[in-house]
Amino acid sequence: MLDAASRFLTLISPLDWVAVALLLAAWGGTGLLVERAGVATPSTNMLMRGYRLAWMREMVKRDVRIFDANILQSLRDGASFFISACMIGIGGGVALLGQTDRLASFAADLSPAIAAPRVVWEAKILLVVLILASAFLKFIWAHRLFGYCAIVMAATPSDVVSGSPMAEKAGWLNIYAARSFNRGLRAVYFALAALAWLLGPLALIVATLATLSTLWRREYASHSREVLLGSGPVSAPPPARPPE
């Protein structure tokens, strides 16, 4: 087993290791940057936290909450869609693991520069599968948290005074569900970037940087962020933790 591991390590070039390390660092670093942004420069993700809390505070004032239930159901449907998509992607990746001989042969015919032994192709596909599996688990948890939020919303009294504490709980459950959902989305982004490794380490580096640039632009330089920063119920992110 040690001989096989040593042989595998020799088959992966230093540039490949750099490319994979960059992908993993970008994936983890983007999450920290987006979720722990400061008050002075909040990300779109952080700004939406305030609006989710504001939604729950307004929900208390409505006797009939069909409108709120429909919105929450649409959020759960979005999580369900990505759960199914990740399952299909994982299944396709696992099926492709059994066809790596054909893949290696096709790559060798396509370009000698990307030719590699079977074990290397398996590692490249397995990386994508593992990232998709992480996304799958996050979408499942988001779906469940949205369900918890729906139950707390249903248990919230219509009276503003007595219902406000429950509304705060529902708001934070909604925030945590959205956080898990967004983590799943970022994993999908980087799973797509990881596919570029099939074309070589340079392609993986370029795809990772392009993905990082896209995520940064959508969180810090998008028109939607400008809208959220404008006049509205919330102009700054709420505390990182719910009040005691």
Side-chain angles (χ1 to χ4, degrees):
M1 186 173 181
L2 291 176
D3 291 340
S6 300
R7 179 174 174 271
F8 171 74
L9 292 176
T10 59
L11 292 174
I12 303 294
S13 70
L15 187 58
D16 282 302
W17 287 115
V18 170
V20 173
L22 177 64
L23 175 76
L24 298 178
W27 181 17
T30 301
L32 292 174
L33 181 66
V34 169
E35 295 178 7
R36 300 181 183 273
V39 176
T41 55
S43 63
T44 302
N45 185 289
M46 293 291 290
L47 289 171
M48 283 303 301
R49 287 187 173 193
Y51 283 90
R52 291 178 189 277
L53 283 173
W55 168 24
M56 292 298 112
R57 291 165 185 160
E58 289 297 317
M59 178 269 300
V60 180
K61 304 174 185 178
R62 287 190 276 267
D63 294 328
V64 180
R65 298 171 183 170
I66 297 176
F67 173 75
D68 306 288
N70 287 339
I71 295 176
L72 195 61
Q73 184 58 46
S74 70
L75 296 176
R76 297 192 75 186
D77 290 342
S80 297
F81 170 80
F82 281 104
I83 289 171
S84 301
C86 286
M87 289 181 66
I88 294 172
I90 292 170
V94 172
L96 193 57
L97 284 173
Q99 303 293 327
T100 48
D101 287 333
R102 292 186 179 181
L103 183 60
S105 176
F106 173 76
D109 293 338
L110 185 65
S111 173
I114 60 174
R118 174 179 176 177
V119 66
V120 175
W121 290 105
E122 290 175 346
K124 293 179 178 182
I125 297 168
L126 189 59
L127 176 64
V128 178
V129 171
L130 290 176
I131 297 176
L132 285 178
S134 174
F136 173 74
L137 295 175
K138 288 176 172 58
F139 287 129
I140 286 181
W141 184 233
H143 188 274
R144 190 169 186 179
L145 285 177
F146 281 130
Y148 291 164
C149 179
I151 293 172
V152 175
M153 286 171 61
T156 303
S158 297
D159 179 68
V160 175
V161 176
S162 60
S164 291
M166 294 289 283
E168 291 293 318
K169 291 182 180 180
W172 279 100
L173 284 172
N174 199 303
I175 287 171
Y176 293 147
R179 182 179 64 181
S180 185
F181 182 84
N182 287 326
R183 286 175 177 176
L185 282 180
R186 286 195 296 273
V188 170
Y189 272 102
F190 284 102
L192 293 175
L195 283 172
W197 196 17
L198 298 174
L199 300 177
L202 290 177
L204 177 57
I205 291 173
V206 171
T208 299
L209 294 177
T211 301
L212 193 61
S213 173
T214 299
L215 289 173
W216 180 88
R217 181 180 59 81
R218 292 181 178 179
E219 290 290 341
Y220 289 99
S222 62
H223 294 300
S224 56
R225 182 175 181 274
E226 293 178 4
V227 171
L228 293 174
L229 279 172
S231 60
V234 178
S235 58
R241 297 174 179 267
E244 298 293 338

